[in-house]
Every structure is written in C-alpha cells, then in structure tokens.
Amino acid sequence: MKRLRTAVIAIGAAAVALSPAAVAHAAPAATVGGGSGIVIDNRSLCTVTAVGHDRGGRLVGLTAGHCGDVGDAVSLERNRRAGTIGRIVTKSKGWDVAVIRLDPARVRAVRTVGHARIAGVGAYPQPFSNVCKAGRTTGFTCGPTLLVNGSRSYSYVCSAPGDSGGPIIDRGRVVGMLNGSLRLAGPGTSIACVDPALPVYTPMAATKMTDILRSLNASGLVGAGFRTV
C-alpha cells in the first residue's frame, strides 16, 4: 500500500508539472518598453518608443513608421526565442509613426528599460532644455534641444541608424519619438553618432509625442487613445 501511495503521489506531481497552466507560465516572456530594440520583418532594426494600451484596451507599442509596413512581424532583438511578439497594424498618414499590436501572451510591458524610465506623456521642452533618448544602437544619451519647429524638434543628442522610434524623455515623461537626424545642406546627408564622447554628428530629429497622439486619436484606428503603462 505504501509503495502504491508513493506512485500515485509521483504521478500527481507529474500531472501538475505538465498542466497547460504550468506550461504557459513557463513560456518565455518578452519584456518590452520604451527603448527596447526590435527586429521588424527580419530585416529592420529599430527601437520602441513606448508601450501602453489604446482606448480598446489592446496592448500596443509605438515606433517609427519607416521601420516597416502594416502586417510586418515584430520580434525582440535580445530575446528572439520569444518569437513574434506583435505585428504592425497602423501607420499614421503624414506622420512617421507605426503602431504595433503586441501579443499579451508573449509580452510583459514595462516602464523601465535600462536607464530609460517612462511614466506618462509630457510636452516637449523649450529650446536649450536638456532631453534624453534611448536607442538600441547608441543607448541612453542626453543633450540640449536646439530648435522646436511645429511638430518637429532638433536636439544635439547622439543617435544613429537603429535608434529610430526611440523615446525622447524629459523628467520621466516621453515627449517625442526619434525619427532620424538633421540633413546637411548641400549633400543632403547626415553624420551618425559613432560615440557620445566624440561630438561630431548632426542633430537628432524628433516628432512631438503630443502631436503623434493627437493624430492617432483622430484616426480612430488601433492605437487611438494610447496611454503608457
């Protein structure tokens, strides 16, 4: 009887270990937030601006529109084992903005990625105020805003290809999205930042977050009503 009882207990333990709930809990979770590096359609490297929910309660992330097209699969650069974590579902007309619908079964949304912490959306600061950006290529760097012109801003902050979509942060609030860098007159090219310690690069170009959200809200598409986690 004792031997039989031991066998029954062992079988019960095995059943718990292999139950669907246990397997789901053990599945790798992709931690995603503003500043996370992403791979789009296995060809483009970009950065997440911020993660949150839209007015429909869907888990979504934002990135630069030029990073991919509607329908493209998105994976996490540093956790490819997690597989496809979402797909681009919206590209804002007239704006370099894309909305990624994230899979809540695979994604754990966070406010902090490295040195970048996002606790809401804020207004872009006035010229000569310092802002910081988080990007998968050049990391977390800061510098002064040089010019704010309508929805666009230019700041002397280190950035390079792959940082596109990265959050511009001011005092814990995401105030903009990195879309590229200022192009030089004449050749029409820009100088990417190789190292923040080497201050020879063209200023970073960004779009105000308040204007991005206003455009998304007016569209009524997935991403409208976006609010950060």
Side-chain angles (χ1 to χ4, degrees):
M1 176 66 77
K2 183 176 181 181
R3 182 177 298 172
L4 176 61
R5 183 181 178 188
T6 301
V8 170
I9 291 172
I11 292 170
V16 170
L18 296 175
S19 68
V23 172
H25 182 71
T31 301
V32 184
S36 292
I38 51 176
V39 183
I40 299 176
D41 201 33
N42 287 318
R43 70 176 189 273
S44 301
L45 289 170
C46 282
T47 305
V48 174
T49 315
V51 174
H53 295 89
D54 66 6
R55 65 169 61 116
R58 292 169 289 242
L59 183 64
V60 297
L62 306 180
T63 192
H66 68 262
C67 292
D69 298 311
V70 172
D72 283 352
V74 178
S75 58
L76 193 62
E77 182 183 11
R78 295 192 175 182
N79 187 2
R80 301 299 295 275
R81 291 184 307 142
T84 298
I85 61 170
R87 289 185 180 275
I88 294 178
V89 293
T90 302
K91 285 186 71 171
S92 181
K93 291 182 179 180
W95 298 81
D96 185 25
V97 177
V99 178
I100 304 164
R101 184 166 183 178
L102 298 168
D103 182 352
R106 294 177 180 269
V107 171
R108 183 171 70 89
V110 296
R111 290 185 171 188
T112 304
V113 174
H115 294 293
R117 176 173 171 77
I118 296 172
V121 176
Y124 212 96
Q126 295 299 310
F128 309 115
S129 301
N130 266 18
V131 293
C132 298
K133 80 98 193 30
R136 55 83 48 203
T137 304
T138 58
F140 189 80
T141 56
C142 304
T145 295
L146 305 176
L147 174 68
V148 178
N149 183 16
S151 64
R152 301 286 278 180
S153 68
Y154 301 93
S155 304
Y156 203 67
V157 176
C158 174
S159 67
D163 291 335
S164 291
I168 312 304
I169 302 169
D170 177 39
R171 292 170 291 183
R173 304 280 176 173
V174 56
V175 297
M177 171 192 290
L178 195 159
N179 297 103
S181 57
L182 183 66
R183 294 191 177 275
L184 298 172
T189 58
S190 59
I191 302 172
C193 176
V194 177
D195 188 321
L198 183 65
V200 181
Y201 48 84
T202 47
M204 169 191 77
T207 306
K208 291 180 181 178
M209 197 68 182
T210 49
D211 288 341
I212 289 172
L213 297 190
R214 188 178 300 113
S215 173
L216 286 176
N217 293 344
S219 75
L221 300 173
V222 176
F226 177 85
R227 62 191 187 283
T228 62
V229 293

